[in-house]
Amino acid sequence: MTTIKGPAIFLAQFAGDNAPFNTLEDICEWAASIGYKGIQIPTWDARLIDLQRAAEDKDYALQLKTTVQSYGLEITELSTHLQGQLIAVNPSFDPLFDSFAPPDLHNNPKERQQWAVQQLHYAIKASHNFGLKALATFSGAFLWPYVYPWPQRPENLVETGFTALAKMWLPILDACEQYDVDLCYELHPGEDLHDGVTFDMFLAKVNYHKRANILYDPSHFVLQCLDYLQFIDIYHERIKMFHVKDAEFNPSGRQGVYGGYQNWQARAGRFRSIGDGQVDFKAIFTKLTQYDFQGWAVLEWECAFKNSEDGAREGAQHIKDYIIRVSDHAFDDFASAGPDDNLNRKLIGLSDE
């Protein structure tokens, strides 16, 4: 077994225009000062990284990596959540998702999608240049408007959607194989890949590609009433990344999973800072350790109530407490009888010959 690495922090929810969150150097100094050992970098944020340059200029990538390490930190992974979202977009969401792309691509879904594909290829190459083995993303969604089967879906609509989704992603997954990078889809409501069943459907369509893997985030499973511990038992071989994010689900006689169009504060299911929700992180860390998870425990802070800096500070300590430093020997070794082949044969009834 391996001791999970951490704590680390996903910078997407913290990067901003004000210090200490507006430069890579300052945000690294802040993260290190509150106990983090790693950072996960959102590749769409030019304040933190020039993605194309990191892909094409190994010296720049080394310089960036060295800068991060000078604060006692490591780059854990890169994130392409926003770009991945644009790989597949149902037309009903076009106006909303335009904001994920440069302004000159707005109102042009075809060129926007081509830009997103190029961004993924840059991120794969940049990950390789940084020496990283995993890359985070979203799958995008052709089918999300049809997640509830009313009106009745036309025959083979879901099949058509997953076939198209796989066609979009297969060349990207092949590039991941070329550069020895696992592509980790965060299974998330709003994406065609949002639970185990949809991941299985996609996996079959991409011929069980070895680079199609999972970013495990239990908060999204709490909101779907999915067994997030059993999920690890089923999919541990594909879980290559881990977001530590809390959530709660408190249904009432008036509201359930769908949330009644309410804002986050008023929904039955909502994200919370670590320790304020219902996720059993002790059990999660135990299972991931049991299955020899090789990656980082990365805080993704989202909360409808708590200040982000308080959540980050508390989150670092919580993750430290959850990480299990694995033992190098069995707890009952003190009572070991030691190796004895003759005794072993005698104990199972085999006579000496």
Side-chain angles (χ1 to χ4, degrees):
M1 295 183 296
T2 304
T3 298
I4 295 172
K5 293 176 283 191
I9 186 169
F10 184 28
L11 298 180
Q13 286 85 3
F14 297 92
D17 292 329
N18 299 317
F21 306 111
N22 57 342
T23 70
L24 180 64
E25 292 80 2
D26 285 351
I27 206 167
C28 282
E29 183 177 9
W30 166 78
S33 73
I34 57 174
Y36 287 100
K37 297 181 179 180
I39 57 169
Q40 190 177 96
I41 299 178
T43 60
W44 59 86
D45 197 319
R47 291 167 297 201
L48 305 178
I49 187 174
D50 182 329
L51 179 59
Q52 182 176 351
R53 189 177 173 191
E56 297 176 342
D57 184 346
K58 291 184 178 180
D59 289 338
Y60 169 76
L62 178 60
Q63 175 188 343
L64 205 68
K65 183 176 180 178
T66 301
T67 296
V68 173
Q69 290 176 333
S70 72
Y71 293 93
L73 300 169
E74 296 290 337
I75 302 173
T76 64
E77 302 97 359
L78 303 180
S79 159
T80 58
H81 284 83
L82 299 195
Q83 301 99 315
Q85 182 76 67
L86 301 181
I87 298 296
V89 178
N90 184 283
S92 62
F93 291 115
D94 271 334
L96 294 174
F97 285 141
D98 264 349
S99 64
F100 288 8
D104 62 324
L105 299 178
H106 292 185
N107 301 310
N108 193 332
K110 182 177 180 180
E111 289 193 10
R112 186 188 64 195
Q113 197 268 348
Q114 292 171 348
W115 171 85
V117 170
Q118 181 62 72
Q119 288 281 296
L120 263 294
H121 282 283
Y122 285 148
I124 293 164
K125 293 178 183 178
S127 295
H128 176 76
N129 288 344
F130 286 127
L132 304 176
K133 296 298 185 182
L135 171 65
T137 198
F138 278 150
S139 68
F142 290 126
L143 294 167
W144 187 251
Y146 312 108
V147 67
Y148 196 82
W150 180 260
Q152 189 180 71
R153 291 188 292 248
E155 187 175 353
N156 292 328
L157 174 64
V158 173
E159 175 79 10
T160 300
F162 273 89
T163 299
L165 190 70
K167 183 178 180 180
M168 298 289 191
W169 281 105
L170 261 172
I172 299 171
L173 290 166
D174 287 342
C176 287
E177 174 64 16
Q178 178 184 351
Y179 287 98
D180 191 24
V181 175
D182 289 317
L183 191 60
C184 300
Y185 296 96
E186 182 171 356
L187 305 184
H188 188 292
E191 311 301 316
D192 281 346
L193 306 191
H194 56 270
D195 61 7
V197 171
T198 52
F199 180 74
D200 289 341
M201 293 165 66
F202 177 74
L203 206 55
K205 289 290 186 181
V206 296
N207 303 314
Y208 299 92
H209 203 293
K210 65 181 289 188
R211 298 299 178 178
N213 290 289
I214 294 170
L215 190 170
Y216 175 76
D217 183 335
S219 68
H220 302 303
F221 298 155
V222 170
L223 271 56
Q224 296 181 70
C225 300
L226 185 153
D227 187 331
Y228 56 83
L229 296 177
Q230 189 180 86
F231 183 94
I232 298 174
D233 291 326
I234 298 169
Y235 295 102
H236 58 89
E237 292 181 354
R238 294 275 180 174
I239 295 173
K240 305 294 186 180
M241 291 178 63
F242 175 26
H243 270 177
V244 184
K245 189 169 72 176
D246 212 340
E248 62 184 356
F249 181 64
N250 300 305
S252 70
R254 296 170 60 85
Q255 188 192 108
V257 171
Y258 300 111
Y261 296 112
Q262 300 304 295
N263 61 28
W264 281 112
Q265 290 86 356
R267 295 177 71 88
R270 55 197 183 186
F271 300 123
R272 300 299 307 273
S273 281
I274 300 180
D276 296 343
Q278 298 168 347
V279 176
D280 185 350
F281 285 110
K282 288 185 177 180
I284 287 172
F285 275 78
T286 298
K287 278 193 176 290
L288 289 176
T289 301
Q290 171 190 343
Y291 289 118
D292 200 27
F293 175 68
Q294 300 285 315
W296 286 81
V298 181
L299 172 79
E300 184 183 20
W301 177 87
E302 290 182 353
C303 185
F305 301 101
K306 183 168 286 184
N307 176 274
S308 60
E309 293 183 54
D310 291 342
R313 186 183 64 255
E314 294 171 5
Q317 188 58 53
H318 278 304
I319 292 173
K320 286 180 184 177
D321 293 340
Y322 293 136
I323 289 175
I324 299 168
R325 187 162 67 97
V326 300
S327 177
D328 58 1
H329 62 275
F331 65 87
D332 55 356
D333 275 357
F334 72 94
S336 172
D340 187 331
D341 288 342
N342 290 330
L343 175 61
N344 291 341
R345 291 175 59 83
K346 182 177 180 180
L347 288 172
I348 60 175
L350 296 177
S351 60
D352 291 333
E353 296 178 359

